[in-house]
Amino acid sequence: MNVKDLLLERKGWIVALLAVGGMLLLAFPLVAQYSVPEYGDDFPLIGSRAAVWIAAQVHLMFAAFVLGVPMFAVIAEAVSIFGKQDRYDRLAKEFTRLLLVAYSATALWGGLLLFLLTTLYPTLWSYLAEIFGASMWVYAGLFFIESATLYTYYYTWERWKRGRAKLFHWGLGILLNVWGTTVMFIANSWLTYMTSPPADVTPDTAPGMVQFWSAFANATWMPINIHRLIANAVFGGAIVAAYAAYRFLKAKTPEERAHYDWMGYVGNLIAIGVFLVLPFAGYWLGREIYEYNQQMGITMMGGFMSWLWIVQAFLIGVLFLAANYYLWIGLGRIPGGERFAPYTKYMLVVLVLGFIVWATPHSMIATRDELAAMGGTHHPFLGVLGLMSAKNTAVNLMILTTFLSFLMYRRANKIPTVSWARTGTISQGTILAVASIVVLFYGVYGYFVPTIVRIGFSVYQVLIVLFTIVAVLVIDVLIARGADTRGPIRWGQMPERSQYALFVIVVTFTWLMGLMGFARSGIRQHWHIWEVMRDTSPHAATPALGYAAQVISVCVILFLLMIAFVFWIGGLIEKPQLVPQETEDTDAAELGPGYEPSLQPATGD
Amino acid sequence: MSSVDLKIVLVTVITIAAYTLVANIIPQVQSDVPEDIAFGADVTSEELVDAGRSLYEGAGGCLACHTEAGGARGPNLLTGHDGEGAIGERCEDRIADLDCKDYLFRALVDPGAYVVEGYPPIMPPTDRTLTTPQVWAIVAYLESLGGEVTVTGDDLAQAEEETAQPAAAPNGEQAAAPAVATDDAEAILQDLCLMCHQMGDRGTEMGPSFDEVGARLTASEIRTKILHPDQLISEGYEPLAGVMPSNFGSQLTATQLESIVQYLSALR
Amino acid sequence: MRKNLQEPFWQALIVLAISYVLLKWGIPYIPPLIGVSSAPVPQSVLVQFMLTVAVGVLVWVSDNEERWRRFKQPIREALVLPERKRVRVALLVLLPLLVGFVTYDTVRPRVDAPAGIRAVHPAPPTQIDFRGEPVRIEGAENPLREEGRIEEARERGFDIYYQSCMPCHGDYLDGQGHFAHGYSPAPLTLRGGSTIAQLTESYVFWRIAKGGPGLPREGNPWNSAMPAWEDFLTEEDIWAVTLFLYEQAGISPRTWEEH
């Protein structure tokens, strides 16, 4: 296709882009004239806070993407090297290509954030710079190394494809992750310092007097590091799945469709699988915040921000439903999947009940009459569902249900041949049942013990769920050894609506990230640096959730628009080679779902 | 745009809209900045004077130097200085073109520019630890000592407006110049510390003596005591807790601080 | 009819209807049958629950290719088949009317106050000003408990409770005092696991000392009639009555982990 054809084919887009660009150009003089008389240095139209907020949030979304995708790429490359599966290698390379473009977007937004901070909040910035100056130089320096590694990693892909060179190439990928993680840890120290400066720092302390290491490794630093690391992997997986969904919907050949169906499955699996661990990291972070300052903890969980968690529960409920929905639809393309189809409705009931319990507010919104009938904002019967015990129980059961969906997926097309298959399956079922009962037991028992003991219970619930997941999975892998197959998965034969579920998942993850960003930053309330430096600007008050939601939505839309651009560019650079495979994977059944390009058209509706 | 693109955009927009809607349906609560001093424009002068007195005697830390007895550190504001009466009587005449309240306010915010002859320039700018309305309350209290209170709610309202301007915020930053212009420990001790402490036969007998301090305390303890005077109080001096200014950390450069610490730890 | 019950479309409608009945009338009327008190579910929560169920039903009808096709069939038939013209016309008239009515119902002027929200447990201040004396709230323990004067404090708290608190919070600490029904919001029950059992003693001390007027901004809108007891009781009185509340309700205050 020559350039002219390409331009003609995309003329709708080009016109749209020109129109948006023209409007921006027209708006520019207006913005330049604009000044808020009473606020002096305020950012035009949206105000300084929203400006910094949006820049920081979009920067973080891109950063999460460029940190999450390399993890994904390295794992995929490892599977291709050690599992001898070529298609994982193509997968890894395809992501790295997206990374190149996304990387510069991250840097652009980071630069914008930096300039906004230095011009709009100079006092805060110079304070932070005085404490963290040295680490800021290291931070910038690491970018040179990281970029060099990234470019080497991508452009040597074909050259170092075989033998020892391939291992070296994989090492580069690991290095890329190391640099990225270090960079993130450094930046995290600045923002966690703002939330939890060491106790001996007071408003009188000159920044030059603050000990660097105590400021760097402050109370919430490590919890945030871990939390973000996990969340980045989740986010990377979700974006990859959305990319695959887009390609799937646009695919013209059955081969393409099969490839992108499979890619979407892998991305989603990683996103949801890693996501199951995230609540535990969040729990640790919350605990550290409570330990650092009870007032801050109560503001976060019970006070001003308590409704934020209801909104969060709503989002996570959507995630669980969408993820299971995707898996259940997927059963339709696995031979033997129909055996499990009747059970999905019971799992759905568990998920819906869990969702209801999880999103039941402790104190309800009610009119006067309703309040009078309830005798307060606590419902006499549903009130018990508002407490942590009920919510922990609900979310643990939802996790187990999602895990069960995944198990069904794995088992669908296999006929185990090991002698103890029946015993194994029964023991799997027993472990799951016992785990559910234990989780329920602690949930109910939690109402009869003091809070301090109950908090301990949530740890037991988490441990039993983790143990169950690991144990059942190990048994499952062993059972699947040498299993006969009922036929390969018909990749590509997926109804289109399943792909939209992947979009819902990625939008939800992105929005959730924005919401949690607001939570992390908002608990500081009117402090730039908690109980050390006050926010004296006109925007010192912490906004209500409605306004925050609007800003978050703006960030999400900006991010998605740009990531769509990145995908589009990524698609232009190089069409992935989808030559039918010369050598079919030898033991695909053991290492993952088999990949069988189907020549039948997918059943869409 | 193809129909697939349109559907994707639709799904995305609907999802985002749903979340925004949910967050907007619940009644909105904003977390406001707490007020430090609850004075409106209609505050009475009695209320101001009361607040000012408690600041003068408490959090403001003024009594540490400006006592009734008078002393080497600051003039007596309460009952009279040099036969001129209490501060309320003489404030009008201190600086030619400033009336009483403006003079007092400026002297509190930028003390270095209005040092009374014969006294060392050691007073810290009060607006570093107090808010502007609080400074105005102190002004009202000082005026009430033998004079007429002229501070009104308007001054506070104006002050509120000024602090709301980000441009006015870095106000105190220029004043962060070191309190003394030398790195020589002897000179710093003479100018600052010996106002309250004794060393040999020099200084004032108020805080603990510096003689043999190096034998009693480690260097790091001495440093802590200078930076955070209230964390470590020497035995027998508990009643004087809170008297020593806690802002030497911002008044001294690191070199100055270290040179004093070294000097003192060598006194064995 | 029998045949219709096998159709996903009608099944979905039935599930929705049953869920509505259960949530709307089941929750308030079933638990009392087994001796658990209950009350009608507020409209906002009912809507939230029903939406969740509706999403669940949608997932169910569409997670299987065959079911999804059958689910859509009655809808398609109603919109396309010539012999269903009457149904079609009825739907096309009724549905917009329904939407219009719901819209009207939401925006029409009413006399009752709009639904309110408040933070259940607003964040307590680090320290409060108790009649001019600073009292530290964060991390504070009940001094009477610490000094082991539990029995004495309990008796003193008993007297104070019956003098000052009982008229609203009731004989049984259940928020059902003589005056309770005159107030909105109603006085809080102090029994059970969801009120003071969630709080530290210093938090309860703060709430008693400062009452409704002392609630922070985030606790609003709030028209609590609870007086600020610092004007009537001494510091030790309030600690005593706090201790009494926990002893009488048979629950222990929330404690924080040692660290």
Side-chain angles (χ1 to χ4, degrees), chain C residues 49-125:
Chain C
F49 285 176
M50 280 311 292
L51 276 180
T52 315
V53 174
V55 170
V57 167
L58 264 184
V59 166
W60 173 67
V61 295
S62 69
D63 75 353
N64 177 294
E65 216 34 49
E66 170 67 11
R67 200 182 299 136
W68 181 230
R69 195 187 53 71
R70 277 168 57 194
F71 173 76
K72 287 188 299 186
Q73 197 172 353
I75 305 174
R76 187 167 302 193
E77 280 174 2
L79 289 176
V80 176
L81 287 186
E83 62 267 30
R84 295 279 168 87
K85 191 171 178 195
R86 286 185 182 189
V87 182
R88 178 156 62 241
V89 170
L91 278 178
L92 289 182
V93 172
L94 285 179
L95 275 181
L97 275 181
L98 184 70
V99 172
F101 175 73
V102 171
T103 313
Y104 166 75
D105 195 50
T106 358
V107 299
R108 86 189 149 92
R110 297 161 196 267
V111 281
D112 41 338
I117 182 192
R118 69 179 182 88
V120 203
H121 301 145

Side-chain angles (χ1 to χ4, degrees), chain B residues 39-53 136-144 147-153 155-156:
Chain B
F39 290 147
D42 53 351
V43 63
T44 63
S45 49
E46 282 85 349
E47 284 172 47
L48 274 175
V49 169
D50 275 350
R53 179 186 293 119
W136 277 114
I138 294 180
V139 172
Y141 171 62
L142 293 177
E143 279 186 317
S144 77
E148 191 195 338
V149 179
T150 54
V151 180
T152 61
D155 292 314
L156 274 90

Side-chain angles (χ1 to χ4, degrees), chain A residues 446-495:
Chain A
Y447 287 101
F448 301 96
V449 295
T451 308
I452 184 84
V453 184
R454 184 168 69 233
I455 292 176
F457 282 178
S458 60
V459 178
Y460 302 147
Q461 291 181 323
V462 161
L463 287 180
I464 186 94
V465 168
L466 279 184
F467 167 78
T468 307
I469 292 180
V470 172
V472 172
L473 204 56
V474 166
I475 297 179
D476 208 58
V477 168
L478 293 178
I479 286 186
R481 282 207 158 170
D484 290 338
T485 172
R486 292 167 192 268
I489 299 179
R490 297 185 290 268
W491 290 111
Q493 291 193 13
M494 193 70 163

Side-chain angles (χ1 to χ4, degrees), chain A residues 12-13 37-42 120 123 126 200 202-206 209 245-246 249-250 304 307-308 311 314-315 318-319 365 496 500 503-504 507-508 511 525-526 534-538 540-547 549-550 553-554 556-557 560 605, chain B residues 1-9 11-13 15-36 128-129 131 161 163-167 169-170 173 223 227-228 231 246-255 257:
Chain A
W13 281 101
E38 68 266 42
Y39 294 158
D41 296 337
D42 210 20
L120 298 173
T123 323
S126 51
D200 59 343
T202 65
D204 291 333
T205 316
M209 293 289 171
Y246 175 72
L249 292 171
K250 288 279 192 173
F304 158 65
W307 274 86
L308 186 143
V311 178
F314 177 71
L315 266 76
V318 171
L319 278 180
I365 305 174
E496 284 192 359
Y500 294 106
F503 282 108
V504 170
V507 172
T508 307
W511 214 89
Q525 296 188 302
H526 54 281
R534 279 182 84 127
D535 183 353
T536 52
S537 76
T542 316
L545 208 46
Y547 174 78
Q550 289 159 23
S553 293
V554 168
V556 172
I557 290 172
L560 291 178
D605 58 328
Chain B
M1 283 169 89
S2 69
S3 72
V4 165
D5 290 323
L6 210 62
K7 275 192 208 163
I8 294 174
V9 170
V11 166
T12 310
V13 168
T15 316
I16 293 175
Y19 298 152
T20 318
L21 188 70
V22 168
N24 275 282
I25 282 177
I26 54 175
Q28 303 295 304
V29 189
Q30 171 167 320
S31 158
D32 280 334
V33 182
E35 287 170 40
D36 285 317
R128 301 196 58 148
T129 45
T131 65
E161 251 175 56
T163 38
Q165 303 253 8
E173 305 229 331
R223 195 179 297 113
L227 294 176
H228 309 290
Q231 283 184 9
S246 59
N247 59 355
F248 281 122
S250 52
Q251 294 261 302
L252 297 168
T253 66
T255 323
L257 176 68

Side-chain angles (χ1 to χ4, degrees), chain A residues 23-41:
Chain A
M23 279 195 285
L24 283 179
L25 276 181
L26 282 178
F28 206 72
L30 288 177
V31 174
Q33 280 175 10
Y34 186 87
S35 66
V36 193
E38 68 266 42
Y39 294 158
D41 296 337

